[in-house]
Amino acid sequence: MDQLRGQPAQEPDVYDARQWAVLAQQCERDEKTFVLESMFLQNAVMPAFIDGADVDAVARISDKILGQAAPARPFLVYLRPADIAAAVARVHLARGPEAKERNVTFVENSPWARRRGLRGPAAVAALYQAWEAFVDTLYDRYPFGRVMVTDPQRDWPAALARIGAAIRP
């Protein structure tokens, strides 16, 4: 499903970058603030990484999305855990055993984990550790306003204050 345009995807499992242009037009026209949790990096760019695309191909996906969204000059708020393995364990505990099993099975069966022979929750943590290292590259290249907040759950009021200050310089 093309979440931003509210239309079925033209090709199943293929991300349509045009939806970001539609969102940029809405932002310009309506002067509204849109908060899209995980839509850009995790849901739009990371699937190619998981599927084993080389880093240049993954970066091109990010660049294509940014080109589509550029008129809105989207501000990126990136929430990062300091201890990725602990964060994965917290999420699995909070979401329950069925969600944990789905997540572990998905990662174990991904080209990224299969090539590395990774299994179990450790495979999920290893994937996110590798992803975070790549996110550093994408984050450094990000052409618009941005802020990275590490472990915001430890002090949400302080994290939100930092985000607000970054958005309103």
Side-chain angles (χ1 to χ4, degrees):
M1 178 67 158
D2 184 331
Q3 296 293 322
L4 299 176
R5 294 189 305 156
Q7 300 174 356
Q10 291 181 347
E11 298 177 55
D13 301 324
V14 174
Y15 193 83
D16 186 351
R18 291 177 298 167
Q19 65 182 314
W20 295 96
V22 171
L23 178 63
Q25 292 167 356
Q26 287 178 323
C27 290
E28 287 184 299
R29 181 183 62 241
D30 299 339
E31 297 183 16
K32 292 181 181 178
T33 298
F34 292 85
V35 176
L36 304 172
E37 190 275 339
S38 301
M39 289 286 290
F40 167 52
L41 289 174
Q42 184 170 321
N43 294 2
V45 180
M46 190 178 184
F49 183 85
I50 293 169
D51 285 344
D54 66 65
V55 294
D56 290 334
V58 177
R60 282 192 301 274
I61 293 168
S62 175
D63 292 345
K64 184 174 182 180
I65 292 169
L66 289 175
Q68 294 286 323
R73 302 184 53 79
F75 192 94
L76 176 64
V77 176
Y78 196 82
L79 307 178
R80 169 175 274 173
D83 182 339
I84 293 169
V88 168
R90 275 194 314 273
V91 169
H92 284 168
L93 183 63
R95 293 185 180 169
E98 289 178 15
K100 175 184 176 181
E101 183 61 30
R102 279 192 308 274
N103 184 232
V104 169
T105 299
F106 171 78
V107 172
E108 286 178 339
N109 291 318
S110 73
W112 187 92
R114 282 196 320 264
R115 271 198 319 253
R116 290 160 180 80
L118 298 171
R119 310 273 312 150
V124 179
L127 169 66
Y128 278 98
Q129 288 164 344
W131 173 246
E132 289 298 326
F134 184 66
V135 164
D136 288 340
T137 300
L138 296 178
Y139 185 84
D140 289 344
R141 293 171 35 157
Y142 194 77
F144 310 113
R146 64 185 189 226
V147 63
M148 185 177 296
V149 180
T150 302
D151 287 337
Q153 77 282 359
R154 291 186 180 182
D155 187 349
W156 276 111
L160 293 173
R162 182 169 173 220
I163 293 165
I167 292 171
R168 296 180 302 276

